[in-house]
Amino acid sequence: MTVFERSPDGISNRALFLGVDIVAYHEGNSTDDISLDTLFWNNVFECFRPDLKVRFLPSGGKTDILEILKGAPEENRNSLFLLDRDYDDICGDYIDRSDVLYTYGYSFENDIFSKEIIDYFIYNQFPIAERRQQWNQEIMNYFEDTDEILRTIAKFDQMSRKINVGGIATDGFQRLYTDGRLGGKPTIAEEIVEIEQSRISQNLQENSHENVDGNWQRRINGHFLMDISYRMVVFLARKLDSRFSVEKKFLIRAFLSRSFNSIDEADERAQYFDLKLRYIFK
């Protein structure tokens, strides 16, 4: 914790000291030159509030950010605390303050995910026009075929967190794949999901299914979702070049660079960030 974070006055005056409008504390490792979280939040503000001069400060894990938030004054106009949503709104841990902004989905990975981005990335590695429709169709087919099982995983993960039982798509989520080869098509083993459902179902409390969101793209564990995307990219790319390789961190950076290039006003994610930032800086 820095000298600025030791008192409410220090937190309030940090923006003035740094010569910016807003100091934004967010999750991430401060030792990174530019963390993935920094890139994400920078893109959000460039898209929805380009008029603001913001200093983004990666400040550790979520618990570290919450600890700084405890010392911040309620009427805090120069600081903002940027958090992964996780299941805070599902589990009753949501913080309703004007200086707190959550991701729209479970984490920033959910907010940059789209089938179109996967297609765009593959095409830019192998710009072969006659194959693009085939790739796009394979991607669409995969997510259509797995829609129900991904929805099931997301729902049971939310329900399990509500009763403090280990969720399906948390630690060791790779075990859901029957094909363990890196880059293999991500085939999720239904029998494993059924075992997990049974384990969690034994602990479910009455009405614990209420307020559970079936939108898996928004609610499923973000690392799990990005792992699916990563495997899908490598699987398709290796059809043309068996030597193809890409680090997951680089792939996420590529997704980040593209995710806010074109925003559809009808997109719920866009509506969320637009309305929240209008409210915060009204």
Side-chain angles (χ1 to χ4, degrees), residues 61 153 214 236 265 272:
I153 292 172
L236 293 174
E265 292 183 358
Y272 168 78

Side-chain angles (χ1 to χ4, degrees), residues 3-14 68 70-74 76 79:
V3 64
F4 288 102
E5 295 153 14
R6 292 175 182 168
S7 71
D9 286 342
I11 294 173
S12 296
N13 293 321
R14 194 171 195 173
I68 301 171
K70 286 180 183 178
E74 287 282 352
N76 184 18
S79 303

Side-chain angles (χ1 to χ4, degrees), residues 87 113 115 139-158 168-169 176-177 186-190 193 197 213-221 224-229 232:
Y87 293 130
F113 166 83
K115 305 174 188 69
I139 295 164
M140 296 297 291
N141 288 346
Y142 171 76
F143 285 107
E144 285 178 4
D145 291 343
T146 57
D147 180 79
E148 188 57 39
I149 197 166
L150 291 172
R151 194 189 310 273
T152 297
I153 292 172
K155 285 183 176 181
F156 270 78
D157 204 18
Q158 291 169 69
I168 291 179
L176 292 170
Y177 295 117
T187 306
I188 302 171
E190 293 188 32
V193 176
Q197 284 181 248
D213 189 348
N215 181 350
W216 59 261
Q217 295 182 53
R218 180 185 184 192
R219 293 297 188 174
I220 208 164
N221 180 283
F224 181 45
L225 181 60
M226 199 50 59
D227 189 66
I228 291 173
S229 302
M232 180 58 69

Side-chain angles (χ1 to χ4, degrees), residues 81 94 204 218:
F81 299 88
Y94 186 87
L204 288 179
R218 180 185 184 192

Side-chain angles (χ1 to χ4, degrees), residues 96-271:
D96 188 12
R97 283 179 49 156
S98 61
D99 55 354
V100 173
L101 176 62
Y102 282 95
T103 54
Y104 173 68
Y106 179 92
S107 65
F108 82 83
E109 287 94 341
N110 301 69
D111 287 355
I112 66 173
F113 166 83
S114 75
K115 305 174 188 69
E116 292 74 23
I117 282 182
I118 297 175
D119 171 61
Y120 179 86
F121 179 84
I122 296 170
Y123 180 73
N124 276 271
Q125 303 305 306
F126 304 97
I128 304 173
E130 60 268 22
R131 294 296 295 273
R132 186 167 192 178
Q133 185 174 358
Q134 176 189 343
W135 290 326
N136 184 267
Q137 191 61 52
E138 282 205 49
I139 295 164
M140 296 297 291
N141 288 346
Y142 171 76
F143 285 107
E144 285 178 4
D145 291 343
T146 57
D147 180 79
E148 188 57 39
I149 197 166
L150 291 172
R151 194 189 310 273
T152 297
I153 292 172
K155 285 183 176 181
F156 270 78
D157 204 18
Q158 291 169 69
M159 288 189 284
S160 65
R161 297 291 187 88
K162 288 179 70 176
I163 60 173
N164 201 27
V165 176
I168 291 179
T170 53
D171 293 339
F173 55 81
Q174 291 94 338
R175 63 198 168 91
L176 292 170
Y177 295 117
T178 54
D179 187 345
R181 295 172 301 167
L182 184 62
K185 189 173 182 180
T187 306
I188 302 171
E190 293 188 32
E191 61 271 19
I192 296 179
V193 176
E194 289 173 0
I195 291 171
E196 293 293 281
Q197 284 181 248
S198 176
R199 176 181 64 82
I200 293 171
S201 295
Q202 292 174 14
N203 295 281
L204 288 179
Q205 297 173 349
E206 187 177 358
N207 299 323
S208 62
H209 63 281
E210 292 181 359
N211 301 319
V212 170
D213 189 348
N215 181 350
W216 59 261
Q217 295 182 53
R218 180 185 184 192
R219 293 297 188 174
I220 208 164
N221 180 283
H223 295 299
F224 181 45
L225 181 60
M226 199 50 59
D227 189 66
I228 291 173
S229 302
Y230 176 62
R231 289 177 182 241
M232 180 58 69
V233 164
V234 177
F235 169 73
L236 293 174
R238 285 184 178 171
K239 286 190 170 185
L240 288 181
D241 185 348
S242 61
R243 300 165 299 174
F244 177 85
S245 179
V246 60
E247 291 185 11
K248 189 184 294 187
K249 192 170 185 177
F250 174 80
L251 181 69
I252 296 174
R253 287 180 183 273
F255 280 22
L256 278 164
S257 68
R258 181 69 183 172
S259 59
F260 288 95
N261 278 16
S262 57
I263 292 292
D264 183 352
E265 292 183 358
D267 187 293
E268 289 185 4
R269 177 192 60 161
Q271 292 176 357

